[in-house]
């Protein structure tokens, strides 16, 4: 009789496997944690430049999920439940003040909503002990959402080191899958202009590839613009927001701008530049581009560099022109 050349395998040592048809289906009513804003069980980023309201958006999301009230007054909560937050840059009295102000706007009792604040002086995602304590906290409280603000205060390594960042993000992805929760991490954007906002995230490009849902806050003239991105769903058009100053001692809060307040849509410099080059019968010099677009040289340079990095345009001896081929510029789900 023929004998197998493979050693006998103990089933307990194998990875769990299921035939494709036996995999659990995603119920249509479980696609979103917050409709159109944050996907069910999504890990992702709330990002923007300094002082654009990233922390306000994160807290609004947290209070909304914990209370079941619309986020920013515009996005319904599909799966309300407990929330755990860690705000590394704010003292606890300020954290309480900010949450209390958001609760007051919704006429919610502060001591009744299942919003839990981690009060540790520090939390490091690259520290094994802190990771274990965070995992135990999530296991006990079973939150729908974990908010961590900001990423730069949650580790001590180099954000440009792809291997290092991949390890941090891998831990968060595993935490999400094992405990069935969404995770939102507040993170900064660099000053460098990029055609896609995800490419402007500070640090390793793994951050953009990792996110299932992402919320980008940018300035549009005198307003804030919220741009959303999802791995598994189309994103709505960008939404104008207003940072409403608090009255009577209340802290500020974000809200959706009314139709009268919202700025008219404006094409980005990269889109205007690309439209101009596509219409040009010959390469266009940098001087001519700056004159026709009416922009500062530094901003034109950033836009040219962003499009050139994506191989959408290239420079010749006669000037800039559109490339005949370009590489995909957005991450794809695998």
């Amino acid at each position: 009789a023929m004998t197998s050349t493979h050693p006998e395998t103990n089933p307990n040592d194998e990875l769990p496997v299921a035939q494709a048809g036996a995999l659990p289906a995603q119920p249509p009513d479980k696609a979103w944690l917050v409709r159109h804003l944050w996907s069910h069980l999504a890990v992702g980023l709330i990002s923007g430049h300094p002082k654009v309201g990233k922390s306000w958006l994160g807290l609004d999301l947290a209070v909304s999920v914990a209370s079941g009230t619309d986020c920013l007054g515009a996005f319904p909560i599909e799966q309300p439940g407990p929330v755990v937050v860690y705000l590394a840059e704010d003292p606890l009295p300020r954290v309480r003040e900010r949450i209390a102000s958001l609760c007051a706007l919704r006429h919610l009792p502060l001591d009744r909503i299942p919003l839990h604040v981690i009060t540790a002086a520090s939390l490091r995602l690259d520290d094994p002990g802190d990771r274990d304590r965070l995992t135990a906290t999530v296991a006990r409280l079973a939150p729908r959402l974990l908010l961590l603000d900001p990423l730069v205060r949650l580790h001590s390594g180099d954000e440009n080191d792809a291997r290092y960042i991949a390890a941090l993000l891998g831990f968060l992805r595993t935490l999400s899958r094992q405990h069935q929760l969404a995770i939102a991490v507040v993170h900064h954007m660099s000053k460098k202009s990029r055609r896609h906002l995800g490419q402007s995230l500070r640090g390793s490009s793994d951050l953009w590839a990792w996110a299932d849902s992402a919320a980008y806050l940018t300035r549009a003239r005198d307003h804030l613009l919220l741009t959303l991105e999802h791995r598994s769903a189309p994103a709505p058009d960008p939404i104008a927001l207003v940072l409403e100053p608090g009255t009577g001692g209340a802290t500020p809060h974000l809200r959706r701008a009314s139709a009268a307040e919202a700025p008219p849509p404006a094409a980005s410099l990269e889109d205007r530049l690309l439209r101009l080059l596509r219409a040009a019968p010959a390469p266009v010099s940098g001087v001519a581009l700056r004159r026709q677009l009416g922009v500062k040289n530094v901003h034109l340079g950033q836009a040219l560099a962003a499009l050139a990095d994506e191989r959408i345009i290239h420079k010749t001896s006669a000037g800039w022109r559109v490339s005949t081929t370009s590489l995909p510029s957005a991450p794809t789900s695998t």
Side-chain angles (χ1 to χ4, degrees):
M2 183 177 292
T3 59
S4 172
T5 59
H6 297 284
E8 188 176 75
T9 302
N10 182 345
N12 292 329
D13 293 334
E14 294 182 0
L15 292 171
V17 174
Q19 194 276 331
L23 295 174
Q26 177 70 62
D29 61 341
K30 297 292 186 182
W32 297 99
L33 175 69
V34 184
R35 193 185 309 166
H36 302 308
L37 192 149
W38 209 267
S39 301
H40 174 63
L41 303 183
V43 297
L45 302 165
I46 296 172
S47 186
H49 295 123
K51 311 300 181 184
V52 295
K54 299 184 296 295
S55 292
W56 287 115
L57 177 56
L59 273 183
D60 201 297
L61 175 63
V63 171
S64 298
V65 171
S67 63
T69 55
D70 291 357
C71 184
L72 301 173
F75 297 95
I77 307 303
E78 298 284 358
Q79 300 178 62
V83 175
V84 173
V85 305
Y86 180 67
L87 279 65
E89 295 184 331
D90 293 311
L92 295 177
R94 184 176 300 168
V95 174
R96 177 191 170 96
E97 178 186 0
R98 290 185 171 191
I99 296 173
S101 180
L102 291 171
C103 286
L105 287 169
R106 295 164 166 80
H107 307 290
L108 299 169
L110 178 61
D111 58 350
R112 298 291 181 85
I113 65 169
L115 177 54
H116 308 280
V117 179
I118 295 174
T119 59
S122 69
L123 173 63
R124 301 290 185 181
L125 299 179
D126 52 358
D127 179 270
D130 280 3
R131 288 201 300 267
D132 289 346
R133 284 185 283 274
L134 178 59
T135 301
T137 302
V138 165
R140 180 174 65 86
L141 295 173
R144 294 277 193 192
L145 172 69
L146 170 65
L147 171 68
L148 300 171
D149 180 7
L151 178 62
V152 69
R153 301 287 179 247
L154 299 171
H155 66 91
S156 56
D158 180 2
E159 290 180 351
N160 293 296
D161 184 334
R163 182 176 296 181
Y164 172 79
I165 286 297
L168 296 187
L169 301 179
F171 162 70
L172 292 176
R173 173 76 71 181
T174 300
L175 186 68
S176 168
R177 288 177 173 174
Q178 288 183 342
H179 297 278
Q180 298 290 288
L181 79 156
I183 300 177
V185 181
V186 175
H187 185 49
H188 297 294
M189 292 171 66
S190 71
K191 295 181 179 179
K192 186 176 292 186
S193 175
R194 287 287 186 252
R195 181 168 174 80
H196 293 280
L197 291 173
Q199 295 174 315
S200 295
L201 293 168
R202 196 173 70 184
S204 168
S205 60
D206 281 38
L207 286 157
W208 187 27
W210 171 77
D212 300 322
S213 288
Y216 305 106
L217 279 171
T218 55
R219 290 200 178 277
R221 300 187 181 94
D222 297 328
H223 293 78
L224 298 174
L225 203 63
L226 173 63
T227 303
L228 300 171
E229 187 176 59
H230 305 291
R231 187 186 302 277
S232 303
D237 292 333
I239 298 160
L241 302 178
V242 174
L243 185 59
E244 187 77 31
T247 58
T251 56
H253 66 278
L254 287 170
R255 64 170 174 82
R256 187 169 187 170
S258 65
E261 294 172 316
S268 69
L269 177 56
E270 288 85 354
D271 287 335
R272 292 165 55 206
L273 174 58
L274 193 55
R275 191 181 305 125
L276 191 156
L277 289 176
R278 281 174 173 161
V284 185
S285 70
V287 173
L289 288 171
R290 182 162 60 87
R291 183 175 62 250
Q292 292 181 59
L293 293 169
V295 296
K296 293 182 179 180
N297 200 47
V298 63
H299 296 151
L300 175 62
Q302 291 173 347
L304 288 169
L307 292 172
D309 285 349
E310 297 179 52
R311 303 185 188 180
I312 296 173
I313 64 173
H314 67 277
K315 190 175 184 180
T316 70
S317 58
W320 291 91
R321 67 180 303 166
V322 176
S323 302
T324 54
T325 60
S326 61
L327 293 178
S329 55
T332 56
S333 177
T334 57

